[in-house]
Amino acid sequence: MCGNNMSAPLPAIVPAARKATAAVIFLHGLGDTGHGWAEAFTGIRIPHVKYICPHAPTMPVSLNMRMSMPSWFDIYGLSPDANEDETGIKRASQNIKALIDQEVRNGIPSHRIILGGFSQGGALSLYTALTTQQKLAGVVALSCWLPLRNSFPQASANIANKDMYVLQCHGDADPLVPFIFGSQTAEKMKSLINPANITFKSYRGLPHNACPEVGVGKVTF
């Protein structure tokens, strides 16, 4: 994978215990890598599911005083009216769509692929699912928001995933991505896809962290 013209290592992969007939592509948060999530999935994996945890490229992040770190796109601020890195978000989304396409070529139908992520990775997973033409099984979005929200519904006018399942989880004590961002995102999602297929779960006292058991571990194919 590449992003912002910077290379990133090959994804961390947890292979299926038997023939893979489904896949989870899970995107880590800002400053992280896919290794920790891959290790966590190893302990809760479903035998026929392949888990793919890509790594974001390293780039300067405006929010963190331009320090270089793994990031799917630049973040200028965390306020609702902050400018967004539209070019970087769209480029990162294209990279994830290419990863989905690769798994389809490997023999896993797109409707057997769940896209998920935590924080910045969850944000990218939501945006990608709404703009891809590949029909997905669903999205698991942990402690995140919908990027470029004002571009919808135009950006998803021909959405292939109007009936996909979305599980959103958010801690009500999150100091980095406020809980209201998650709840407002869920309401926005209900206006874009079948609202009956959206589940929003809040976790009392949970700050800005998560574990796969909260979301992907409870999803069945």
Side-chain angles (χ1 to χ4, degrees):
M1 286 182 61
C2 296
N4 270 8
N5 295 321
M6 301 179 188
S7 61
L10 293 175
I13 294 176
V14 180
R18 56 176 187 255
K19 178 179 172 58
T21 60
V24 170
I25 299 174
F26 195 87
L27 312 179
H28 63 75
L30 178 66
D32 198 5
T33 70
H35 292 299
W37 289 97
E39 182 178 350
F41 286 130
T42 300
I44 62 170
R45 61 179 174 174
I46 302 170
H48 63 275
V49 178
K50 176 183 181 182
Y51 297 86
I52 305 156
C53 300
H55 311 291
T58 297
M59 66 179 72
V61 176
S62 298
L63 179 68
N64 290 339
M65 298 179 293
R66 300 291 296 168
M67 288 191 297
S68 291
M69 61 189 64
S71 183
W72 299 108
F73 48 85
D74 197 7
I75 298 179
Y76 303 132
L78 293 177
S79 63
D81 58 350
N83 290 330
E84 295 184 272
D85 178 17
E86 181 174 357
T87 299
I89 292 167
K90 290 182 175 179
R91 180 165 44 223
S93 180
Q94 287 301 123
N95 287 336
I96 303 306
K97 291 171 186 176
L99 193 56
I100 295 169
D101 290 341
Q102 180 61 53
E103 289 310 305
V104 171
R105 289 193 294 271
N106 288 341
I108 298 177
S110 65
H111 68 268
R112 298 277 293 167
I113 296 175
I114 284 179
L115 190 58
F118 172 72
S119 194
Q120 189 193 40
L124 181 57
S125 69
L126 285 174
Y127 181 83
T128 301
L130 289 174
T131 57
T132 184
Q133 291 305 305
Q134 291 279 26
K135 185 175 176 60
L136 301 173
V139 175
V140 176
L142 310 181
S143 304
C144 66
W145 69 97
L146 176 62
L148 303 178
R149 63 190 182 281
N150 292 331
S151 68
F152 296 98
Q154 293 81 6
S156 58
N158 298 312
I159 185 172
N161 288 304
K162 287 187 180 295
D163 292 313
M164 70 176 173
Y165 288 91
V166 175
L167 172 62
Q168 268 188 265
C169 303
H170 213 117
D172 67 3
D174 191 331
L176 296 180
V177 181
F179 180 77
I180 189 67
F181 283 21
S183 60
Q184 288 179 346
T185 292
E187 291 306 308
K188 180 71 171 181
M189 292 293 294
K190 289 177 182 178
S191 73
L192 299 175
I193 67 174
N194 185 348
N197 292 345
I198 297 176
T199 300
F200 180 77
K201 293 187 176 183
S202 61
Y203 292 82
R204 183 175 297 277
L206 184 69
H208 191 67
N209 57 40
C211 60
E213 290 90 337
V214 169
V216 182
K218 296 184 177 179
V219 175
T220 57
F221 291 83

